Short mmCIF file of all heavy atoms in Angstrom, two decimals:
data_model
loop_
_atom_site.label_atom_id
_atom_site.label_comp_id
_atom_site.label_asym_id
_atom_site.label_seq_id
_atom_site.Cartn_x
_atom_site.Cartn_y
_atom_site.Cartn_z
N MET A 1 121.73 103.87 75.71
CA MET A 1 122.11 104.80 76.77
C MET A 1 120.98 105.77 77.11
O MET A 1 120.80 106.11 78.24
CB MET A 1 123.39 105.55 76.27
CG MET A 1 123.92 106.45 77.33
SD MET A 1 124.53 105.53 78.71
CE MET A 1 125.06 106.79 79.76
N GLU A 2 120.23 106.11 76.07
CA GLU A 2 119.09 107.05 76.30
C GLU A 2 118.02 106.42 77.18
O GLU A 2 117.40 107.08 77.97
CB GLU A 2 118.47 107.48 74.95
CG GLU A 2 119.41 108.33 74.14
CD GLU A 2 118.76 108.68 72.80
OE1 GLU A 2 117.60 108.37 72.59
OE2 GLU A 2 119.48 109.20 71.96
N ILE A 3 117.83 105.11 77.04
CA ILE A 3 116.85 104.39 77.87
C ILE A 3 117.26 104.42 79.34
O ILE A 3 116.45 104.61 80.22
CB ILE A 3 116.68 102.96 77.36
CG1 ILE A 3 116.04 102.99 75.98
CG2 ILE A 3 115.84 102.16 78.33
CD1 ILE A 3 115.90 101.63 75.34
N VAL A 4 118.56 104.26 79.61
CA VAL A 4 119.03 104.32 80.98
C VAL A 4 118.83 105.68 81.58
O VAL A 4 118.41 105.82 82.68
CB VAL A 4 120.53 103.88 81.03
CG1 VAL A 4 121.10 104.06 82.40
CG2 VAL A 4 120.70 102.44 80.55
N VAL A 5 119.17 106.71 80.81
CA VAL A 5 118.96 108.09 81.29
C VAL A 5 117.48 108.33 81.53
O VAL A 5 117.15 108.94 82.57
CB VAL A 5 119.57 109.10 80.30
CG1 VAL A 5 119.23 110.52 80.70
CG2 VAL A 5 121.08 108.93 80.23
N ALA A 6 116.63 107.91 80.65
CA ALA A 6 115.20 108.10 80.85
C ALA A 6 114.70 107.35 82.08
O ALA A 6 113.87 107.92 82.84
CB ALA A 6 114.45 107.63 79.58
N PHE A 7 115.16 106.15 82.26
CA PHE A 7 114.73 105.38 83.43
C PHE A 7 115.20 106.06 84.76
O PHE A 7 114.47 106.14 85.71
CB PHE A 7 115.32 103.95 83.38
CG PHE A 7 115.00 103.13 84.59
CD1 PHE A 7 113.74 102.64 84.78
CD2 PHE A 7 115.96 102.85 85.54
CE1 PHE A 7 113.41 101.86 85.90
CE2 PHE A 7 115.70 102.13 86.67
CZ PHE A 7 114.39 101.58 86.84
N LEU A 8 116.46 106.56 84.75
CA LEU A 8 116.95 107.25 85.96
C LEU A 8 116.18 108.53 86.21
O LEU A 8 115.90 108.89 87.35
CB LEU A 8 118.44 107.57 85.78
CG LEU A 8 119.32 106.32 85.89
CD1 LEU A 8 120.77 106.72 85.57
CD2 LEU A 8 119.27 105.66 87.24
N PHE A 9 115.82 109.23 85.17
CA PHE A 9 115.03 110.46 85.32
C PHE A 9 113.64 110.15 85.89
O PHE A 9 113.20 110.84 86.81
CB PHE A 9 114.90 111.20 83.93
CG PHE A 9 114.05 112.43 84.03
CD1 PHE A 9 114.59 113.58 84.64
CD2 PHE A 9 112.77 112.44 83.51
CE1 PHE A 9 113.81 114.74 84.74
CE2 PHE A 9 112.00 113.59 83.59
CZ PHE A 9 112.51 114.73 84.19
N VAL A 10 112.97 109.12 85.35
CA VAL A 10 111.70 108.73 85.90
C VAL A 10 111.81 108.29 87.35
O VAL A 10 110.95 108.69 88.22
CB VAL A 10 111.05 107.64 85.06
CG1 VAL A 10 109.82 106.99 85.69
CG2 VAL A 10 110.70 108.14 83.67
N ALA A 11 112.83 107.54 87.70
CA ALA A 11 113.03 107.09 89.10
C ALA A 11 113.22 108.30 89.99
O ALA A 11 112.68 108.35 91.12
CB ALA A 11 114.19 106.15 89.16
N PHE A 12 114.01 109.26 89.53
CA PHE A 12 114.25 110.48 90.30
C PHE A 12 112.95 111.26 90.56
O PHE A 12 112.70 111.76 91.61
CB PHE A 12 115.30 111.35 89.65
CG PHE A 12 115.50 112.68 90.35
CD1 PHE A 12 116.17 112.76 91.57
CD2 PHE A 12 114.90 113.86 89.81
CE1 PHE A 12 116.33 113.97 92.22
CE2 PHE A 12 115.02 115.05 90.46
CZ PHE A 12 115.76 115.13 91.66
N VAL A 13 112.14 111.38 89.49
CA VAL A 13 110.88 112.13 89.60
C VAL A 13 109.93 111.44 90.57
O VAL A 13 109.34 112.08 91.46
CB VAL A 13 110.21 112.32 88.21
CG1 VAL A 13 108.79 112.83 88.35
CG2 VAL A 13 111.05 113.24 87.36
N VAL A 14 109.82 110.12 90.50
CA VAL A 14 108.97 109.38 91.43
C VAL A 14 109.48 109.50 92.86
O VAL A 14 108.66 109.75 93.78
CB VAL A 14 108.89 107.86 91.00
CG1 VAL A 14 108.23 107.03 92.07
CG2 VAL A 14 108.14 107.73 89.67
N PHE A 15 110.76 109.46 93.07
CA PHE A 15 111.31 109.60 94.39
C PHE A 15 111.05 111.03 94.92
O PHE A 15 110.68 111.21 96.08
CB PHE A 15 112.79 109.31 94.36
CG PHE A 15 113.53 109.53 95.67
CD1 PHE A 15 113.37 108.61 96.71
CD2 PHE A 15 114.27 110.68 95.94
CE1 PHE A 15 113.95 108.78 97.94
CE2 PHE A 15 114.88 110.86 97.13
CZ PHE A 15 114.76 109.93 98.15
N ALA A 16 111.25 112.04 94.08
CA ALA A 16 111.05 113.40 94.51
C ALA A 16 109.60 113.69 94.86
O ALA A 16 109.30 114.35 95.83
CB ALA A 16 111.52 114.36 93.42
N VAL A 17 108.65 113.17 94.09
CA VAL A 17 107.25 113.33 94.37
C VAL A 17 106.87 112.62 95.66
O VAL A 17 106.13 113.16 96.49
CB VAL A 17 106.36 112.82 93.18
CG1 VAL A 17 104.91 112.74 93.58
CG2 VAL A 17 106.58 113.71 92.00
N ASP A 18 107.42 111.45 95.90
CA ASP A 18 107.18 110.71 97.15
C ASP A 18 107.67 111.51 98.33
O ASP A 18 106.93 111.62 99.35
CB ASP A 18 107.88 109.33 97.08
CG ASP A 18 107.59 108.53 98.34
OD1 ASP A 18 106.46 108.33 98.69
OD2 ASP A 18 108.63 108.12 99.00
N ARG A 19 108.87 112.05 98.30
CA ARG A 19 109.41 112.86 99.36
C ARG A 19 108.59 114.10 99.59
O ARG A 19 108.35 114.50 100.73
CB ARG A 19 110.89 113.19 99.11
CG ARG A 19 111.82 112.01 99.01
CD ARG A 19 111.71 111.03 100.16
NE ARG A 19 112.06 111.67 101.40
CZ ARG A 19 112.00 111.05 102.57
NH1 ARG A 19 111.59 109.85 102.65
NH2 ARG A 19 112.30 111.68 103.68
N LEU A 20 108.13 114.72 98.52
CA LEU A 20 107.28 115.92 98.65
C LEU A 20 105.99 115.62 99.34
O LEU A 20 105.57 116.34 100.23
CB LEU A 20 107.06 116.54 97.29
CG LEU A 20 106.10 117.76 97.20
CD1 LEU A 20 106.73 118.93 97.95
CD2 LEU A 20 105.75 118.09 95.83
N LEU A 21 105.37 114.52 98.96
CA LEU A 21 104.09 114.15 99.58
C LEU A 21 104.31 113.73 101.02
O LEU A 21 103.44 114.01 101.86
CB LEU A 21 103.45 113.05 98.79
CG LEU A 21 102.83 113.50 97.45
CD1 LEU A 21 102.39 112.34 96.61
CD2 LEU A 21 101.67 114.47 97.68
N LEU A 22 105.44 113.08 101.35
CA LEU A 22 105.73 112.77 102.75
C LEU A 22 105.90 114.04 103.58
O LEU A 22 105.45 114.10 104.74
CB LEU A 22 106.92 111.87 102.88
CG LEU A 22 106.72 110.39 102.49
CD1 LEU A 22 108.05 109.71 102.53
CD2 LEU A 22 105.72 109.75 103.38
N PHE A 23 106.57 115.02 103.03
CA PHE A 23 106.70 116.31 103.68
C PHE A 23 105.38 116.97 103.91
O PHE A 23 105.12 117.48 104.97
CB PHE A 23 107.65 117.23 102.86
CG PHE A 23 107.69 118.65 103.40
CD1 PHE A 23 108.42 118.92 104.56
CD2 PHE A 23 107.04 119.67 102.77
CE1 PHE A 23 108.47 120.24 105.04
CE2 PHE A 23 107.08 120.92 103.23
CZ PHE A 23 107.81 121.22 104.40
N MET A 24 104.56 116.97 102.87
CA MET A 24 103.21 117.56 103.03
C MET A 24 102.34 116.83 104.02
O MET A 24 101.57 117.45 104.74
CB MET A 24 102.50 117.58 101.65
CG MET A 24 103.12 118.59 100.68
SD MET A 24 102.41 118.55 99.03
CE MET A 24 100.75 119.16 99.40
N GLU A 25 102.56 115.51 104.12
CA GLU A 25 101.80 114.75 105.12
C GLU A 25 102.24 115.10 106.52
O GLU A 25 101.45 115.19 107.43
CB GLU A 25 102.00 113.22 104.88
CG GLU A 25 101.14 112.42 105.81
CD GLU A 25 101.35 110.94 105.68
OE1 GLU A 25 102.47 110.52 105.35
OE2 GLU A 25 100.41 110.18 105.81
N SER A 26 103.52 115.35 106.69
CA SER A 26 104.03 115.73 108.06
C SER A 26 103.47 117.03 108.47
O SER A 26 103.33 117.31 109.68
CB SER A 26 105.57 115.76 108.08
OG SER A 26 106.04 116.81 107.31
N ARG A 27 103.10 117.88 107.51
CA ARG A 27 102.49 119.20 107.81
C ARG A 27 101.00 119.11 107.95
O ARG A 27 100.33 120.08 108.27
CB ARG A 27 102.82 120.20 106.71
CG ARG A 27 104.27 120.50 106.55
CD ARG A 27 104.80 121.27 107.67
NE ARG A 27 106.24 121.55 107.46
CZ ARG A 27 106.89 122.42 108.12
NH1 ARG A 27 106.26 123.12 109.06
NH2 ARG A 27 108.14 122.63 107.88
N GLY A 28 100.39 117.91 107.66
CA GLY A 28 98.96 117.72 107.83
C GLY A 28 98.17 118.08 106.60
O GLY A 28 96.91 118.20 106.71
N HIS A 29 98.75 118.27 105.44
CA HIS A 29 97.99 118.66 104.26
C HIS A 29 97.40 117.44 103.47
O HIS A 29 96.32 117.58 102.88
CB HIS A 29 98.91 119.44 103.29
CG HIS A 29 99.42 120.67 103.87
ND1 HIS A 29 98.62 121.73 104.23
CD2 HIS A 29 100.69 121.11 104.18
CE1 HIS A 29 99.36 122.72 104.73
NE2 HIS A 29 100.61 122.37 104.74
N VAL A 30 98.07 116.32 103.45
CA VAL A 30 97.57 115.13 102.72
C VAL A 30 97.80 113.90 103.58
O VAL A 30 98.55 113.88 104.51
CB VAL A 30 98.33 114.95 101.40
CG1 VAL A 30 97.99 116.11 100.43
CG2 VAL A 30 99.77 114.78 101.55
N ASN A 31 97.09 112.84 103.25
CA ASN A 31 97.37 111.53 103.80
C ASN A 31 98.03 110.67 102.70
O ASN A 31 97.47 110.42 101.68
CB ASN A 31 96.07 110.79 104.18
CG ASN A 31 95.46 111.39 105.43
OD1 ASN A 31 96.18 111.92 106.28
ND2 ASN A 31 94.15 111.36 105.53
N TRP A 32 99.29 110.37 102.89
CA TRP A 32 100.06 109.71 101.84
C TRP A 32 100.37 108.25 102.26
O TRP A 32 99.58 107.34 101.98
CB TRP A 32 101.32 110.50 101.54
CG TRP A 32 102.18 109.91 100.44
CD1 TRP A 32 103.51 109.56 100.59
CD2 TRP A 32 101.83 109.62 99.13
NE1 TRP A 32 103.96 109.06 99.39
CE2 TRP A 32 102.95 109.07 98.47
CE3 TRP A 32 100.65 109.71 98.38
CZ2 TRP A 32 102.98 108.68 97.17
CZ3 TRP A 32 100.67 109.29 97.06
CH2 TRP A 32 101.80 108.79 96.48
N ARG A 33 101.53 108.00 102.86
CA ARG A 33 101.91 106.63 103.21
C ARG A 33 101.85 106.27 104.65
O ARG A 33 101.58 105.17 104.98
CB ARG A 33 103.40 106.48 102.79
CG ARG A 33 103.61 105.96 101.43
CD ARG A 33 105.02 105.50 101.18
NE ARG A 33 106.05 106.13 101.99
CZ ARG A 33 107.31 106.00 101.71
NH1 ARG A 33 107.66 105.32 100.70
NH2 ARG A 33 108.21 106.58 102.44
N ARG A 34 102.15 107.20 105.49
CA ARG A 34 102.36 106.88 106.89
C ARG A 34 101.05 107.03 107.67
O ARG A 34 101.03 107.64 108.75
CB ARG A 34 103.46 107.78 107.48
CG ARG A 34 104.79 107.55 106.82
CD ARG A 34 105.87 108.42 107.43
NE ARG A 34 107.14 108.15 106.75
CZ ARG A 34 108.16 108.94 106.86
NH1 ARG A 34 108.13 109.99 107.60
NH2 ARG A 34 109.28 108.60 106.22
N THR A 35 100.03 106.50 107.19
CA THR A 35 98.78 106.50 107.91
C THR A 35 98.58 105.23 108.65
O THR A 35 98.92 104.14 108.16
CB THR A 35 97.58 106.79 106.98
OG1 THR A 35 97.58 105.73 105.96
CG2 THR A 35 97.68 108.12 106.30
N ARG A 36 98.03 105.32 109.84
CA ARG A 36 97.81 104.12 110.64
C ARG A 36 96.52 103.47 110.16
O ARG A 36 95.63 104.14 109.60
CB ARG A 36 97.70 104.49 112.08
CG ARG A 36 98.99 104.97 112.61
CD ARG A 36 98.87 105.17 114.14
NE ARG A 36 100.14 105.57 114.68
CZ ARG A 36 100.43 106.87 114.99
NH1 ARG A 36 99.54 107.80 114.76
NH2 ARG A 36 101.61 107.17 115.50
N ARG A 37 96.37 102.21 110.41
CA ARG A 37 95.10 101.52 110.08
C ARG A 37 94.01 102.04 111.01
O ARG A 37 94.21 102.25 112.20
CB ARG A 37 95.25 100.02 110.27
CG ARG A 37 96.19 99.41 109.28
CD ARG A 37 96.19 97.92 109.43
NE ARG A 37 96.42 97.37 108.15
CZ ARG A 37 95.91 96.24 107.75
NH1 ARG A 37 95.15 95.54 108.51
NH2 ARG A 37 96.17 95.80 106.54
N ARG A 38 92.86 102.18 110.41
CA ARG A 38 91.72 102.64 111.20
C ARG A 38 91.13 101.48 111.94
O ARG A 38 91.12 100.32 111.47
CB ARG A 38 90.66 103.22 110.31
CG ARG A 38 91.05 104.54 109.70
CD ARG A 38 89.96 105.13 108.92
NE ARG A 38 89.71 104.33 107.71
CZ ARG A 38 88.74 104.49 106.91
NH1 ARG A 38 87.86 105.42 107.11
NH2 ARG A 38 88.57 103.74 105.81
N ASP A 39 90.62 101.73 113.13
CA ASP A 39 89.98 100.70 113.92
C ASP A 39 88.55 100.57 113.40
O ASP A 39 87.72 101.41 113.62
CB ASP A 39 89.94 101.13 115.41
CG ASP A 39 89.36 100.05 116.27
OD1 ASP A 39 89.27 98.88 115.83
OD2 ASP A 39 89.00 100.35 117.45
N LEU A 40 88.30 99.50 112.68
CA LEU A 40 86.97 99.34 112.05
C LEU A 40 85.86 99.11 113.04
O LEU A 40 84.69 99.31 112.74
CB LEU A 40 87.03 98.15 111.07
CG LEU A 40 87.98 98.42 109.87
CD1 LEU A 40 87.96 97.22 108.98
CD2 LEU A 40 87.60 99.64 109.10
N SER A 41 86.23 98.68 114.29
CA SER A 41 85.12 98.49 115.27
C SER A 41 84.58 99.85 115.72
O SER A 41 83.48 99.91 116.21
CB SER A 41 85.66 97.68 116.43
OG SER A 41 86.68 98.38 117.09
N ALA A 42 85.35 100.90 115.58
CA ALA A 42 84.90 102.23 115.96
C ALA A 42 84.11 102.93 114.83
O ALA A 42 83.47 103.95 115.06
CB ALA A 42 86.07 103.11 116.37
N GLU A 43 84.19 102.40 113.63
CA GLU A 43 83.47 102.99 112.51
C GLU A 43 82.00 102.62 112.55
O GLU A 43 81.61 101.52 113.02
CB GLU A 43 84.08 102.49 111.16
CG GLU A 43 85.50 102.87 110.96
CD GLU A 43 85.68 104.33 110.70
OE1 GLU A 43 84.83 104.94 110.07
OE2 GLU A 43 86.70 104.89 111.16
N PRO A 44 81.11 103.53 112.10
CA PRO A 44 79.70 103.20 112.06
C PRO A 44 79.45 102.09 111.00
O PRO A 44 80.04 102.08 109.94
CB PRO A 44 79.02 104.48 111.67
CG PRO A 44 80.08 105.28 110.99
CD PRO A 44 81.38 104.86 111.62
N ALA A 45 78.61 101.17 111.42
CA ALA A 45 78.29 100.03 110.52
C ALA A 45 76.90 100.26 109.91
O ALA A 45 75.95 100.57 110.59
CB ALA A 45 78.33 98.72 111.27
N ALA A 46 76.80 100.09 108.59
CA ALA A 46 75.49 100.17 107.92
C ALA A 46 74.94 98.76 107.86
O ALA A 46 75.61 97.81 107.50
CB ALA A 46 75.66 100.73 106.53
N GLU A 47 73.68 98.63 108.23
CA GLU A 47 73.06 97.30 108.13
C GLU A 47 72.53 97.17 106.70
O GLU A 47 71.53 97.73 106.31
CB GLU A 47 71.95 97.20 109.17
CG GLU A 47 72.44 97.21 110.60
CD GLU A 47 71.37 97.07 111.59
OE1 GLU A 47 70.22 96.77 111.20
OE2 GLU A 47 71.64 97.35 112.76
N LEU A 48 73.21 96.35 105.93
CA LEU A 48 72.90 96.25 104.52
C LEU A 48 71.51 95.64 104.31
O LEU A 48 70.82 96.03 103.40
CB LEU A 48 73.97 95.37 103.82
CG LEU A 48 74.09 95.53 102.33
CD1 LEU A 48 74.32 96.97 101.95
CD2 LEU A 48 75.21 94.68 101.83
N ASP A 49 71.12 94.71 105.17
CA ASP A 49 69.84 94.10 105.01
C ASP A 49 68.69 95.15 105.14
O ASP A 49 67.71 95.09 104.40
CB ASP A 49 69.60 92.98 106.03
CG ASP A 49 70.51 91.81 105.82
OD1 ASP A 49 70.97 91.66 104.69
OD2 ASP A 49 70.78 91.10 106.76
N SER A 50 68.88 96.09 106.06
CA SER A 50 67.81 97.07 106.23
C SER A 50 67.74 98.04 105.08
O SER A 50 66.71 98.63 104.79
CB SER A 50 68.01 97.86 107.53
OG SER A 50 69.18 98.59 107.49
N LEU A 51 68.83 98.21 104.38
CA LEU A 51 68.84 99.09 103.19
C LEU A 51 68.18 98.43 102.01
O LEU A 51 67.63 99.11 101.14
CB LEU A 51 70.31 99.47 102.85
CG LEU A 51 71.02 100.34 103.88
CD1 LEU A 51 72.46 100.51 103.45
CD2 LEU A 51 70.35 101.67 104.09
N LEU A 52 68.24 97.11 101.94
CA LEU A 52 67.71 96.38 100.76
C LEU A 52 66.26 95.92 100.97
O LEU A 52 65.64 95.61 99.94
CB LEU A 52 68.62 95.21 100.44
CG LEU A 52 70.07 95.57 100.07
CD1 LEU A 52 70.88 94.30 99.91
CD2 LEU A 52 70.13 96.44 98.86
N GLU A 53 65.77 95.87 102.16
CA GLU A 53 64.41 95.36 102.37
C GLU A 53 63.41 96.44 102.03
O GLU A 53 63.68 97.67 102.08
CB GLU A 53 64.21 95.01 103.89
CG GLU A 53 65.04 93.81 104.28
CD GLU A 53 64.86 93.49 105.74
OE1 GLU A 53 64.20 94.30 106.44
OE2 GLU A 53 65.37 92.46 106.22
N ASP A 54 62.23 96.00 101.67
CA ASP A 54 61.10 96.89 101.43
C ASP A 54 60.70 97.48 102.78
O ASP A 54 60.69 96.80 103.81
CB ASP A 54 59.96 96.21 100.81
CG ASP A 54 60.22 95.77 99.33
OD1 ASP A 54 61.06 96.46 98.72
OD2 ASP A 54 59.65 94.76 98.90
N PRO A 55 60.24 98.75 102.77
CA PRO A 55 59.79 99.31 104.08
C PRO A 55 58.53 98.64 104.51
O PRO A 55 57.68 98.25 103.72
CB PRO A 55 59.57 100.79 103.73
CG PRO A 55 59.47 100.85 102.24
CD PRO A 55 60.18 99.69 101.73
N VAL A 56 58.37 98.47 105.84
CA VAL A 56 57.22 97.84 106.43
C VAL A 56 56.07 98.88 106.47
O VAL A 56 56.25 99.97 106.98
CB VAL A 56 57.52 97.33 107.81
CG1 VAL A 56 56.26 96.71 108.46
CG2 VAL A 56 58.64 96.33 107.78
N ARG A 57 54.95 98.51 105.84
CA ARG A 57 53.81 99.43 105.84
C ARG A 57 52.95 99.12 107.03
O ARG A 57 52.64 97.99 107.39
CB ARG A 57 52.98 99.23 104.58
CG ARG A 57 53.74 99.63 103.32
CD ARG A 57 52.89 99.47 102.13
NE ARG A 57 53.65 99.72 100.92
CZ ARG A 57 53.11 99.61 99.72
NH1 ARG A 57 51.90 99.20 99.56
NH2 ARG A 57 53.89 99.84 98.67
N GLU A 58 52.51 100.23 107.68
CA GLU A 58 51.60 100.06 108.81
C GLU A 58 50.17 99.93 108.29
O GLU A 58 49.82 100.52 107.29
CB GLU A 58 51.70 101.28 109.73
CG GLU A 58 53.03 101.38 110.37
CD GLU A 58 53.11 102.57 111.36
OE1 GLU A 58 52.02 102.94 111.88
OE2 GLU A 58 54.18 103.00 111.64
N PRO A 59 49.39 99.07 108.95
CA PRO A 59 48.00 98.86 108.46
C PRO A 59 47.20 100.16 108.63
O PRO A 59 47.34 100.88 109.63
CB PRO A 59 47.45 97.73 109.33
CG PRO A 59 48.38 97.64 110.51
CD PRO A 59 49.72 98.22 110.06
N THR A 60 46.41 100.40 107.65
CA THR A 60 45.54 101.60 107.70
C THR A 60 44.26 101.26 108.40
O THR A 60 43.73 100.15 108.28
CB THR A 60 45.27 102.16 106.35
OG1 THR A 60 44.64 101.18 105.55
CG2 THR A 60 46.55 102.60 105.64
N ARG A 61 43.72 102.18 109.18
CA ARG A 61 42.48 101.98 109.86
C ARG A 61 41.30 102.41 108.95
O ARG A 61 41.29 103.51 108.45
CB ARG A 61 42.42 102.75 111.17
CG ARG A 61 43.46 102.23 112.14
CD ARG A 61 43.30 102.96 113.45
NE ARG A 61 44.33 102.50 114.36
CZ ARG A 61 44.46 102.90 115.58
NH1 ARG A 61 43.64 103.79 116.05
NH2 ARG A 61 45.39 102.43 116.35
N GLY A 62 40.38 101.54 108.78
CA GLY A 62 39.21 101.82 107.93
C GLY A 62 38.13 102.53 108.73
O GLY A 62 38.13 102.54 109.97
N PRO A 63 37.18 103.09 108.01
CA PRO A 63 36.04 103.75 108.70
C PRO A 63 35.10 102.85 109.37
O PRO A 63 34.96 101.69 109.27
CB PRO A 63 35.29 104.49 107.63
CG PRO A 63 35.86 104.03 106.30
CD PRO A 63 37.07 103.27 106.58
#
């Protein structure tokens, strides 16, 4: 019987925390569950190849 009570208590705590975070999200304090997917085409893209390549050295002019 103690296991059932413990399980119900844990379920209640998880539910209460979820509702609290949803309330905080509606006020704009946190991003919890109800976030829309971001449009990845609008995000800046890093060119991975340019980050991994050695920098191109310019030829030096001799005397």
Side-chain angles (χ1 to χ4, degrees):
M1 183 66 181
E2 293 176 9
I3 293 175
V4 173
V5 172
F7 177 74
L8 290 174
F9 179 73
V10 169
F12 174 75
V13 169
V14 169
F15 177 76
V17 169
D18 181 56
R19 298 307 300 175
L20 175 66
L21 287 171
L22 284 174
F23 171 75
M24 291 175 66
E25 184 183 35
S26 70
R27 300 287 180 166
H29 298 296
V30 295
N31 288 331
W32 179 238
R33 269 194 331 193
R34 296 182 181 165
T35 56
R36 293 186 179 100
R37 292 184 149 216
R38 291 185 289 174
D39 184 17
L40 295 179
S41 63
E43 296 290 325
E47 295 180 12
L48 200 56
D49 292 337
S50 66
L51 295 174
L52 299 175
E53 291 177 356
D54 291 332
V56 177
R57 295 184 185 176
E58 294 185 24
T60 57
R61 295 184 182 182

